[in-house]
Each structure stands twice: as structure tokens, then as C-alpha cells.
Amino acid sequence: MKIINNEVDLKKIHIKDKFWSKYISLVKNEMIPYQWQVLNDEANIKIERERNDKNIPAEKSHAIENFKIAAGLKSGHHYGYVFQDSDVYKWLEAVSYSLTNEKDPELEKIADSVIDLIELAQEKDGYLDTYFTIDAPERKFKRLLESHELYCAGHFMEAAVAYYNATGKNKVLSIASKLADCICKCFGPEEGKIHGYDGHEEVEIGLAKLYVVTENKKYLEMSEYFLKQRGKDSDFLYEQLEKDINKEEIIKGMNTSEKKYFQVHKPVLDQDTAEGHAVRLVYMCTALADVAYLTKDAEMLAACKRLWTNITKKRMYVTGGIGSTVSGEAFTFDYDLPNDTMYCETCASVGLAFFAHNMLKSEPSSIYSNVLERSLYNSSISGMALDGKHFFYVNPLEVDPKASKYDPTKSHVKVTRPSWFGCACCPPNLARTLTSIGKYVYTVSNNTVYTHLYMANEAELSLNNSTILLKQETNYPWSGNIKISLKVDQTTNFTMAFRLPDWCHSYTIKLNGENVDYKISDGYAYITKDFKNSDLIEINLEMEIHEISANPHIKDDLGKVALQRGPLVYCLEESDNGDNLHLIKLTKDVKYECEYDPNLLGGIAKITCNAKKLIVSDNWNDDLYIADAKAPKYENKKITFIPYYSWANREIGEMKVWINKDI
Amino acid sequence: MKIINNEVDLKKIHIKDKFWSKYISLVKNEMIPYQWQVLNDEANIKIERERNDKNIPAEKSHAIENFKIAAGLKSGHHYGYVFQDSDVYKWLEAVSYSLTNEKDPELEKIADSVIDLIELAQEKDGYLDTYFTIDAPERKFKRLLESHELYCAGHFMEAAVAYYNATGKNKVLSIASKLADCICKCFGPEEGKIHGYDGHEEVEIGLAKLYVVTENKKYLEMSEYFLKQRGKDSDFLYEQLEKDINKEEIIKGMNTSEKKYFQVHKPVLDQDTAEGHAVRLVYMCTALADVAYLTKDAEMLAACKRLWTNITKKRMYVTGGIGSTVSGEAFTFDYDLPNDTMYCETCASVGLAFFAHNMLKSEPSSIYSNVLERSLYNSSISGMALDGKHFFYVNPLEVDPKASKYDPTKSHVKVTRPSWFGCACCPPNLARTLTSIGKYVYTVSNNTVYTHLYMANEAELSLNNSTILLKQETNYPWSGNIKISLKVDQTTNFTMAFRLPDWCHSYTIKLNGENVDYKISDGYAYITKDFKNSDLIEINLEMEIHEISANPHIKDDLGKVALQRGPLVYCLEESDNGDNLHLIKLTKDVKYECEYDPNLLGGIAKITCNAKKLIVSDNWNDDLYIADAKAPKYENKKITFIPYYSWANREIGEMKVWINKDI
């Protein structure tokens, strides 16, 4: 049976986009070499603890060294987090996409050497995890709550598939298959196997991807098993720890996390609210959506839809960020979206994009692609500084440097991007997403080419019986004009479907300069016709500035608006507007102006307007509280908004997305 | 030398006030017997951990048992917090005030037996602390950062002075003096003594009080030394731990607290902002103000004023609560006063009242007595349920039960008052304050009787050369009418000074029905004349409803008002107003009505008004964010405010002090 895969081969897409090419280059030229130095403990940088916790290993990465020790090339102990291996795998995955985008024999050589090292570190039975191989072989698969063994395995499988796709080299796939076989041998419903799952979802994603390239159905079934077993016996993770005679914890205190943290409070298919650790949840959903697509399992897809609805209708920030609390880096409850205490981890935003992408495979609906876009253009890329060398874990919507400094409950909200973290999950996660951005642009199914994202690119897409070349030209996200030109060998009947973004309230679609018939379904405009060579489709998405209002059940946003233009959410920064941003309010009759400034923050469209700022000294001297205050006075003030993703690239200061507005 | 003490002898004041007598009775009839059961592990109650931390001892109190073991009457180990002894001392202090208010031979007998037990537990050299006597004699005074030895000693001294004042019995004073002598022998500037101080201020208060009754100047000097030494060598507490060969911690992790937590970041007299653990800070200030008064030390008094100003002008809630963050139960920074994540510990409010009271001894200014009143009537008594058996540690200004349940960073905000805590500091602290409320009503100095608080009472006050009997009649805080009648043996020239509360914008003062001359100074109206027997002073403080606005630098209160009538701050509760309190707004032309309801919450003056509630369904279906929303629609809604102190005495629900208001 041929696997139906409507994902587009990354090799066949060449990103020519001014906006995204910059990121792809930054990853290739800055992040990848930099991460390589970090992984080898050669970078002369200060690694920061992402939390104020001395238990966090932050002296060095030691990740490559761990592999060398596991491979028997060096002696010593494992250092770092138990999931340190995944740093190497995520680096390798980013390298793979980067090599797909652009050949680089030097880099490929380094990657090959890493794969050789991984092969050496793999045990005879396929087991692969340096922590357990080096320091705790007797505890393998015995402490899944905290061990991250399957999590690391999943990341390796993702990297392996990416590297194989990039280079066609089989070795990496053979290591991954051996590892997957080892897992299939140890886990499953059969007697004698472990009837369990990992504390951190990820292997389910890797196994499904490995199935697609190897066509080994066992891997898909293993992924499905992990997903369907999860939460069925919701005590499994805890009971496994109880059974281990050795009581030493691998991650201190993790066993006190509640079931929701791990999404094991009920069977996955019964879950209808997004709970617990946000990254875990979206990784689970990403796998669930992929397996639902690959197996055509309607029940799985229904579960995905329920979770998608809960996230995007109740628990997501306007930036596409998720995770309302630092405690457990987790979801909390419906409409609880505080702007200055949240987590909004970069990894979680990226994971939400993965989930959206996999849902689009089954259902081309803009409810997914709109969020995909929102997440990518806002709280994902806000994770990286414009220099490509500094990174946020936490992506707040409101920052007061005093609070970050003097209120320990906000100390996780950093005001500048540190250069590296002890737990280095976010930067490489962003690197692999940025280098594979092309994957998210199109899907192809039922003789239809779906355009989900707008960015300049050239793509070669396979339809039922033909191949088309498609060239997208645009200055997105600064302009909503998109030109798509076709190259076909012969006139071909097929459908082109274009996403009509949720932010766009007015648009035109023309074919060769003329109006064209299209029908709209699920947020896409469908044009079906005999397309001929050199056909030119011009889409003009009117890119007005919109004031976004949050559902009034979100307490923290009541009486406020956020500005959005195109896919970009905007914010005020102290650099442009002075301090006390909370004293600024937009008037009813506010007029916004937008201007592209090539010299500001790497080139951005900034928004300016006249606003009012409360004059504190008018009513107040040094009183803390006064009775029956007269109406406050305001001064006029011109203010400047910048795209959210570009904040914190100048001096330290306040930042605010949701701005008071007169109603 | 006669000690100048302008504090009024509690024995000479008889509270006849409807409002406060209820509390005094509750303490006597409910709290004291109940606490006695708890201290003896005889109460059939669930002791709750005040935090979600398994290290907190909460199985039982064991406090009396600890004394029995230390006394050699039983064998076993110490159980509970290292400062468990202070529970007994604070209970004893409350008992003492209660006995002062009303004889009770049965209770006095129990108290005597406790004192006998304490005497037995005291070591030969005067040392007294059951934890160290039982389980760690070799660590005495070696780990002051965490040991709370001097803290407990201070509480015993306060209790001893109170019990001596109540009963005239010397034994308790002799135990306290022996203990104080032991401390004086171990600490001080002399060679061979410890040049240090306790991690938790309190002994400084106890020593100053002990000085006043014993007239032993050494104790005052010891108190002064502790205060002036504090922060001079700001590493003292940490270095002492380093020197201890035994590295076992007594309070896990406390040594990672920063210097500000303990107020040792700089010398006390150089401190000008309120930092660190709020209770510690106000205890320090309470001692500082008392010692400044007793020694007439201008520099100390100046430091008190700076700290007072910082607290009351920058870091205090409208309820008189302090402590903006749960992390370290601490102050944060100026104008940082979040309403739903704060700590506002009951002990800290009570401590702020102590500080105010001691400042009034030196300076009769209403800047102190206004806050004294605010704290007592709002965030102090909110610590206790109307049944006298349930207690809050944390006194929030905004509560959403969903947040308390599902957001771990708000789990410290309880929605109902638990019956007891593992760390039982707040309930007995409140008990000793309530039973000694009479102390706060008057001070006498320079032939002037200062009336700081208004509550019905009869007092016998000593002036320069005479004694006056003074009877205050009022239905305060529900009414601002106060009648004060005098009994004097002969016509006497003296001054009566009455506080003009900050909340009162219009008032009349009459003598025997006629207008009387008075001059105003520092918020007090001074009447100086030859007073004769049966003179009747009538004060009418107009008790209007005021809308309080917070300084706009307090972000969380911008665009909101709090209602206050008389000394009482009001709030909305879900019981009266339904859920989603944040959707309610007060209109510009709002008219408030006030009505005393004897059947509501033990009898309260409730405030009602017509308000608007946003209709969510008008603009919103299930969308999380919408663009360019039309102006929201509102429904009319009659709402009911109740006094803040009385919240959480009905079913669980939302509560909110700061309410949106149209400007």
C-alpha cells in the first residue's frame, strides 16, 4: 500500500522570501555553528539557567562528550539533563533541513561524523540513550516518568528522517530503525512487554515519521499504541517509579507533578481540554494528528479537533503563545491568559505550529492555517533575537523590568534574550522549524494545491498525473500582494486553493489580470480550471491595521486592544514610547499610520498614532490612595508600535501588547 | 529614672463596643479554648498546610508535648516547626489580655500550669527553646538564620509581660528575665559574645517590653544592640551557618533567601525602603519605633519614618495589607500591588498596626492612626471567619476560585478560611491583637488624652496630676456619631485630642451641645480647657461612601475604584452579585445607598447601587479574539457591596475589591 502523504517534499521548495530567508540564513550561518560549539563545549559563552534553581546543570553542554563516553571513546560520566541527547538530535535535524535548502559538504561531513558517533553509542540491541548507557544501564525503561528515553528516541527519529531525506544516506535510518525495533520489542500490549508510555510525548511523532520513510507499519502501530495506551492506566508512570528499588530521582521532584502535567489523567481519546505541560500537550496532539491522518482514524481525528478547539478558542494568546502559568509551564483553565506571568514557551508555539500542520493534512481548513501563521510570525520567532544568537524561552505579552527583577514570581520573564540555556530545548527547536519553513507552505491532495502560507518561493509540486512549477512572489508580511505564476508542460486541470487569512477582510483574486471564478470553503478560495503554462494568479489581501479585542472572559485584556496588521501582532516598547506604558490609552477616534522603516529592527512596518497618556501629577502628589478623585487629565502623545516578534532587540525596557482603549 | 510610658494600661480600659466585643468574645470563647486543644493535640480538626509543600509539618501541633519533653516529663523528640514554641507563647499572650479584660480563674489556672511547664523546660542558665533543648543542644545560637531561638524568646517576653500585667504574678517575669539575662550574656559588642542578631526580628520587641515592666535597662540596651547591629555585618547569618560543622538544615532552603528577606542587606538605620519578608520588616519597625521612643533616639525615629513613608505611600494595599508577593511572603517594589497574587499575610497587617501604635507614642499624627485603623478594620480581621474558628493567612483583594484551583501560582490564595495551619502564626497573632484592642484606643502624654480609635469603652486615664474617667459611646464603624463623657473629681485643665479620620471630609465637634474651639494639628482636633465633671463631647464624623482611586502607578487598579465607608473598605462577592465580577462596571453617575442589615453576615452596613454588566454574548460567540469589535453592550444590574472583612463567610465564589469605573 502506498502511503498517502500530502506533505510536500522540502527539497522541492526553495524559499526566496526576504522575511524568512533572513531567518534561514541566520540559522545556517549563526545558530548551527554556534550550537555546534555549544554541544562541544567550545563556545565562549555564559550558559544561563532558565530558572533560578541550582539543580539545573548549566556549567556546560557536554552533549557530544556524553556520546563519546557512551561510545567508549572516552571515559567519564554523563553530564547535563537526562535529555541532553536531544540537543544533538535537534541540531542534526536543523542541519538536515539546512542541507536540504542548500548543499554544504563541510557541514554534511560534520553531521556524518555525529551520526557515526551516535552509531557507536547505540547498544547492540538498538537501545540508544547516553545517560542510561553510561550511568544507569540497570534503570533502562524503568523510570519513564522522568527518563525521557523515548522522548530522545523520538527526536533522533525525526532527525534521522530529515537527514535521510536531505542526503539519501541510509546509515542514519538504519540506526533509527534499530532503535525503533528495540522500542517495539520492549513496549506493546503483548505479555512481557511494558504496557506504558513515556513521560514526555515525542517518540509518537518520530515513529510516525519513520513509518512514512521506511514504510514499516510496525512503527506506525507502535506510535498508535503509545497514544492510545496513554492515560488508560493513569497510574502507570507513578507505579513504575514505586517499583524501582533504586529510589534516586533522575529529575528532582518531577514525580510530584500531577497526572495532567503528563496528559495521563484520562485516556488521550477522552481528553477534551488542553492540560498540563504545554509542550508535552502539543507534541501529543502533533502525533495524534499525524497518526489520525495516516490511519484515517476518525475517533483520533475527533479528539484532535476537540483539543484544537479548546486551545484556540479558550487557551491561546493572541500571539499564538500557549501555557498560561510558569508552574509546570502549563495550561491552567479556560480564558485564563495573564500577560505578565505566563510561560508561552517558544517550544510550545513551535509545537502548536506542528499540530496545525498535521491537522492540515487531514483537513484543509483555515482554522488550522490561521493559527499556524499566527504562531510562526509572532510567538515562535520572538524566541530568537535579530542577531540569531540570543533566545527566549518565555514570550511574555507584557514586561516591566522592575517586576522581572524584584518580583520572584516573575523572574522567569526575561527582559533580554540570554545566549544559551542549561535546558537548551527552545533554540534548536526554533532552528529546525525555521530551516523547514518550506514544509508549511503547501499541501497537495485530491488534485488540489493548497497554499497555506504566503512567502516568496519556487516549488515543484506533484499532482495526480502531473508536475507543476509554482513561483510565489510577495513582500509578505509587509504587503498582502501575492503573485503566483505557473509552469506546466501542458494545460492541466487541477484546483488551486488559497487561504483567506482571518485578518483579511477584503481581497481580490485575479487570473492573468482578470477576475476569476472561485468558491470559498473552510477559509480557502478554490479555483478549479484548466491551468496553462505562465498563468499568473494575483492575490491582493488588503492589509489593514486591525484592533483586536479579546473575549471579555479574559480578565487581563478587558478594555484593551492589540494591534494586528497582516499576520503580525504589534506591541509598544519603552524604547519608542517612554516608560509607564500602562498609562497610555488609545482614543475612540484613533487613526493609525503604517510605514515601512528599513532601518528599524532589521526593517519593519511600524505603526504610529496619536494617543493619550495619563498625567499622574495632576491628581496625585505622593498619595497612594485618594477619595473621589476628579477625572484624570491626559497629555497627547504620538506612539509607535513595532511587530511583537522584534521586541527586546534594543535597550532593556517595558513592553506591552494589550493597550488601554476608550470605549 | 521613671520610664516615660504613654501607653495606656489595658486594665484601665473596658471595651463596651458592639463591633469589637464580638471579636473579644469570639477569641475568649472560641479561639482560646480551640487553640488550647490544638496545642495539646486534642482538637479533632484537619490541620492544613499553608503551602503545597510536603516538608511542612501538619500532622499535629505537638507544641505542649515539646515543652513536656524539654521539661523531662516525657521522652521523645521535638515535632513541628523549629518555632513551634511561639504558638504557646502567643496563646499565653492572648490569654493574658483576655484575663485582663475579664477574670476567669479556670483559664488562669491553665495558664499558670503552662507557665510552670515553661519554667521546667527552661535550662539552668536561662536558655529556653524546646527544639534545641530536646534535639540539638550543641547547635544553640549557632544557626540564627533559621533557628528562631530569639524570635521565640521575644514572643515569650511579650507573653510574660502581658501575663504579669494581667495577674501581677511574678513567676512568669522571673522566667523571662532569666531568659533575657541568658541572651544578654551571649550577645553583644563585648569580646567573646556573638556580634549578631536573629533571622527573624521579634526579640527586640520583647526585650523593650520587658524593660518597661522590669526597668532593667540592660534589656533595652540589648534590644537597641540587636537593631543597630542588624545589617552592619550583612553576612553574619550566612557565615554563621558556614561555620557550623553540622550542615543539616533546620528549615530547608532558608539559607538561599537573600539578604533583603531578613532585612540585613544594609544597616537598619540606613534602610529607607521596606524590603523582604513583610512580617519580619514590620516586627523590626515595631521594635525600632518602641526603642526610638524609649531612648529618644532621633536617628532611629527618622529611620522609622522613612520606612513608614515607603510602606504607606508606595507598598500598602487599600485594605492595609502588605506583602505583594507569595515568594518570600515579601515586599517587591514601589507601586507593585497586584490584587490576586499578593500575600497580605494577616500577621503582617497586625504587625503594621503594632508599628503604627508604637509610632503614635512618639508622634501623635494621624498618618499613623489612620493606617492603624485601616489595618485593624480590614486586612487584620479579614483573617478570621465570623465563627472565630477559621483563619486566613493570605488576604487577597481579588479571588477567582478557578484560579486558586487550577493555577498553581495562585494556590496560596485560599477561597475559604481553613481551620488551622501547620505554621500557626496568624490565628494566635490575631487573637492577641483582638484581646488587647483597648491598648490602641488612647495614648496620654503632655497632659493630653489622644483618642486614636473610636469604639465604645470606659477608660480610666492618668494625667499629670489627676485621673479622669472617660466613657465613649458609639455605633462605630456603622455610624460616625461618637459621644464622650467625662468624670472628673474636680474641674481639670487638660487637652483632649481627637483623630479626624482621613476618610472623613466633614465633621462637627460639640461640647455639651455647643460648638467648641479646637485647633487642628497633624490630623487631630485639640480641645484645651478646664474640663468639668459630666462634660459631654459629641463628635459627628460624616460617614459618606467614598470612591477610592489608587495612584495610577499601581497598574492593577487603573480605571478602577474601591468603595470605602468610614474605616471599612468594601468588596463585591459572587454570593450577592453572580459570577464574572470583572464584567461589572460602575457608571459615572452612580448613586450609592447604604443600609444596615442586621441579618447579613453578623450585621453589616451594605452598600447597593445600579451598575452595568457587559453582555458577552452580544459581540462574542465562542471567538477568543475578534477584530474591530463594536462597542460592547451592557445590562443594568443592581449590585451589593459588603465590608471586605466579612467576605468568604458564605458559599465559595469570586470576590473583588477594585471595581471598573467609567471615567
Side-chain angles (χ1 to χ4, degrees), chain B residues 4 47 85 88 222 325 360 408 559 564 611 641 643:
Chain B
I4 302 160
I47 299 182
D85 291 357
V88 176
M222 191 72 249
T325 181
L360 286 170
Q564 186 173 343
F641 291 81

Side-chain angles (χ1 to χ4, degrees), chain B residues 335-461:
Chain B
Y335 299 117
D336 181 46
L337 293 160
N339 294 309
D340 59 347
T341 55
M342 73 301 93
Y343 208 66
C344 280
E345 187 176 342
T346 306
C347 285
S349 291
V350 162
L352 186 60
F354 299 161
F355 181 18
H357 174 63
N358 282 351
M359 289 305 286
L360 286 170
K361 295 180 190 172
S362 293
E363 286 204 343
S365 162
S366 70
I367 64 168
Y368 307 113
S369 39
N370 284 330
V371 170
L372 170 66
E373 181 180 76
R374 185 176 291 279
S375 161
L376 287 174
Y377 279 91
N378 299 289
S379 70
S380 294
I381 53 173
S382 65
M384 186 164 119
L386 297 177
D387 67 1
K389 290 184 184 176
H390 298 82
F391 309 95
F392 275 141
Y393 242 64
V394 170
N395 295 279
L397 283 84
E398 184 175 325
V399 161
D400 178 351
K402 293 193 296 296
S404 295
K405 189 167 178 187
Y406 296 116
D407 180 357
T409 64
K410 291 180 185 159
S411 63
H412 64 291
V413 180
K414 307 278 183 217
V415 293
T416 46
R417 293 174 183 84
S419 52
W420 203 258
F421 292 105
C423 172
C425 60
C426 293
N429 227 342
L430 198 52
R432 65 180 183 137
T433 307
L434 294 169
T435 45
S436 63
I437 191 81
K439 275 203 305 187
Y440 301 89
V441 180
Y442 305 105
T443 54
V444 178
S445 72
N446 297 324
N447 218 33
T448 303
V449 175
Y450 290 93
T451 302
H452 305 297
L453 297 179
Y454 298 106
M455 63 182 75
N457 71 82
E458 290 174 23
E460 183 189 328
L461 303 174

Side-chain angles (χ1 to χ4, degrees), chain A residues 316 546-547 552 582 625 628, chain B residues 316 546-547 552 582 625-626 628:
Chain A
M316 182 184 75
H546 293 291
E547 287 182 345
H582 73 286
Y625 304 104
D628 312 317
Chain B
M316 182 185 76
H546 294 291
E547 287 182 344
H582 73 286
Y625 304 104
I626 59 174
D628 312 318

Side-chain angles (χ1 to χ4, degrees), chain A residues 260 311-318 325-327 332-333 335-337 398 400 402-403 406-410 505 545-555 557-558 580 582-583 585 614 616 620-629 632 634 658 660 663, chain B residues 260 311-318 325-327 332-333 335-337 398 400 402-403 406-410 505 545-555 557-558 580 582-583 585 614 616 620-629 632 634 658 660 663:
Chain A
K260 281 184 178 175
I311 295 172
T312 58
K313 296 280 191 183
K314 302 281 172 64
R315 303 186 178 199
M316 182 184 75
Y317 287 87
V318 70
T325 181
V326 58
S327 180
T332 52
F333 57 97
Y335 299 117
D336 181 46
L337 294 160
E398 183 174 328
D400 177 351
K402 293 192 296 296
Y406 296 115
D407 180 357
T409 64
K410 290 180 185 159
H505 300 190
I545 297 158
H546 293 291
E547 287 182 345
I548 307 298
S549 297
N551 189 302
H553 287 303
I554 306 177
K555 283 181 195 170
D557 301 340
L558 193 70
N580 288 315
H582 73 286
L583 297 178
K585 67 167 184 176
L614 194 149
V616 178
W620 300 89
N621 296 309
D622 66 342
D623 291 315
L624 199 53
Y625 304 104
I626 59 173
D628 312 317
Y634 295 86
W658 290 99
N660 296 324
I663 45 162
Chain B
K260 281 184 179 176
I311 294 172
T312 59
K313 296 280 192 184
K314 303 279 173 64
R315 301 185 178 198
M316 182 185 76
Y317 287 86
V318 71
T325 181
V326 58
S327 179
T332 53
F333 57 97
Y335 299 117
D336 181 46
L337 293 160
E398 184 175 325
D400 178 351
K402 293 193 296 296
Y406 296 116
D407 180 357
T409 64
K410 291 180 185 159
H505 301 189
I545 297 159
H546 294 291
E547 287 182 344
I548 307 298
S549 298
N551 189 302
H553 287 303
I554 306 177
K555 284 180 195 170
D557 302 340
L558 193 69
N580 287 315
H582 73 286
L583 297 178
K585 67 168 183 174
L614 194 148
V616 177
W620 300 89
N621 296 309
D622 67 342
D623 290 316
L624 199 53
Y625 304 104
I626 59 174
D628 312 318
Y634 294 86
W658 290 98
N660 296 324
I663 46 161

Side-chain angles (χ1 to χ4, degrees), chain A residues 342-442:
Chain A
M342 75 301 91
Y343 208 66
C344 281
E345 187 176 342
T346 306
C347 284
S349 291
V350 162
L352 185 60
F354 300 161
F355 182 19
H357 174 62
N358 283 350
M359 289 305 286
L360 286 170
K361 294 181 191 172
S362 293
E363 285 203 344
S365 163
S366 70
I367 65 168
Y368 307 114
S369 39
N370 284 332
V371 170
L372 170 67
E373 182 179 79
R374 187 175 289 280
S375 161
L376 287 174
Y377 279 91
N378 298 290
S379 70
S380 293
I381 53 173
S382 66
M384 186 164 120
L386 297 176
D387 67 1
K389 290 184 183 175
H390 297 82
F391 310 95
F392 274 140
Y393 241 64
V394 170
N395 295 280
L397 282 84
E398 183 174 328
V399 162
D400 177 351
K402 293 192 296 296
S404 295
K405 190 167 178 186
Y406 296 115
D407 180 357
T409 64
K410 290 180 185 159
S411 63
H412 63 290
V413 180
K414 308 277 183 217
V415 293
T416 47
R417 294 174 183 83
S419 52
W420 202 258
F421 292 104
C423 171
C425 60
C426 293
N429 227 344
L430 198 52
R432 66 181 182 135
T433 307
L434 294 169
T435 45
S436 62
I437 191 80
K439 274 202 307 186
Y440 301 91
V441 180
Y442 305 106

Side-chain angles (χ1 to χ4, degrees), chain B residues 545 565 570 593-598 604-608 638:
Chain B
I545 297 159
R565 181 179 178 273
Y570 279 70
E593 283 179 30
C594 182
E595 188 195 356
Y596 185 79
D597 185 339
I604 56 160
K606 64 182 179 191
I607 297 173
T608 53
K638 190 174 173 181

Side-chain angles (χ1 to χ4, degrees), chain A residues 306-583:
Chain A
R306 284 195 304 272
L307 289 165
W308 180 266
T309 303
N310 180 249
I311 295 172
T312 58
K313 296 280 191 183
K314 302 281 172 64
R315 303 186 178 199
M316 182 184 75
Y317 287 87
V318 70
T319 54
I322 47 174
S324 296
T325 181
V326 58
S327 180
E329 308 170 350
F331 291 99
T332 52
F333 57 97
D334 289 349
Y335 299 117
D336 181 46
L337 294 160
N339 294 310
D340 59 347
T341 55
M342 75 301 91
Y343 208 66
C344 281
E345 187 176 342
T346 306
C347 284
S349 291
V350 162
L352 185 60
F354 300 161
F355 182 19
H357 174 62
N358 283 350
M359 289 305 286
L360 286 170
K361 294 181 191 172
S362 293
E363 285 203 344
S365 163
S366 70
I367 65 168
Y368 307 114
S369 39
N370 284 332
V371 170
L372 170 67
E373 182 179 79
R374 187 175 289 280
S375 161
L376 287 174
Y377 279 91
N378 298 290
S379 70
S380 293
I381 53 173
S382 66
M384 186 164 120
L386 297 176
D387 67 1
K389 290 184 183 175
H390 297 82
F391 310 95
F392 274 140
Y393 241 64
V394 170
N395 295 280
L397 282 84
E398 183 174 328
V399 162
D400 177 351
K402 293 192 296 296
S404 295
K405 190 167 178 186
Y406 296 115
D407 180 357
T409 64
K410 290 180 185 159
S411 63
H412 63 290
V413 180
K414 308 277 183 217
V415 293
T416 47
R417 294 174 183 83
S419 52
W420 202 258
F421 292 104
C423 171
C425 60
C426 293
N429 227 344
L430 198 52
R432 66 181 182 135
T433 307
L434 294 169
T435 45
S436 62
I437 191 80
K439 274 202 307 186
Y440 301 91
V441 180
Y442 305 106
T443 54
V444 179
S445 72
N446 298 326
N447 218 32
T448 304
V449 176
Y450 290 92
T451 302
H452 305 296
L453 297 178
Y454 298 105
M455 63 182 75
N457 71 81
E458 289 174 23
E460 184 188 325
L461 303 174
S462 300
L463 289 170
N464 284 4
N465 304 307
S466 56
T467 295
I468 59 161
L469 294 175
L470 200 147
K471 184 177 181 180
Q472 206 187 124
E473 291 170 289
T474 179
N475 193 26
Y476 207 87
W478 312 119
S479 148
N481 293 313
I482 301 129
K483 286 185 193 169
I484 292 154
S485 48
L486 278 178
K487 269 195 193 167
V488 282
D489 285 343
Q490 57 189 74
T491 298
T492 311
N493 187 282
F494 66 99
T495 303
M496 296 199 64
F498 299 99
R499 180 174 62 97
L500 302 170
D502 52 356
W503 51 260
C504 177
H505 300 190
S506 173
Y507 56 88
T508 58
I509 303 175
K510 297 201 170 179
L511 178 64
N512 301 324
E514 304 288 329
N515 287 338
V516 63
D517 279 347
Y518 55 87
K519 62 175 195 348
I520 294 177
S521 173
D522 292 328
Y524 284 77
Y526 286 78
I527 307 170
T528 304
K529 66 186 298 290
D530 292 330
F531 285 102
K532 59 182 198 304
N533 197 30
S534 302
D535 268 352
L536 176 70
I537 295 158
E538 287 173 277
I539 301 171
N540 186 22
L541 305 170
E542 205 168 307
M543 215 173 242
E544 291 191 322
I545 297 158
H546 293 291
E547 287 182 345
I548 307 298
S549 297
N551 189 302
H553 287 303
I554 306 177
K555 283 181 195 170
D556 300 84
D557 301 340
L558 193 70
K560 296 172 185 161
V561 295
L563 295 195
Q564 185 173 343
R565 181 178 178 274
L568 298 174
V569 172
Y570 278 71
C571 68
L572 293 180
E573 254 198 328
E574 186 174 334
S575 287
D576 303 303
N577 305 294
D579 64 357
N580 288 315
L581 297 177
H582 73 286
L583 297 178

Side-chain angles (χ1 to χ4, degrees), chain A residues 209-222:
Chain A
K209 284 190 173 182
L210 193 61
Y211 156 70
V212 172
V213 291
T214 63
E215 301 192 15
N216 186 337
K217 199 137 195 224
K218 195 170 64 172
Y219 303 154
L220 180 64
E221 286 161 0
M222 190 72 250

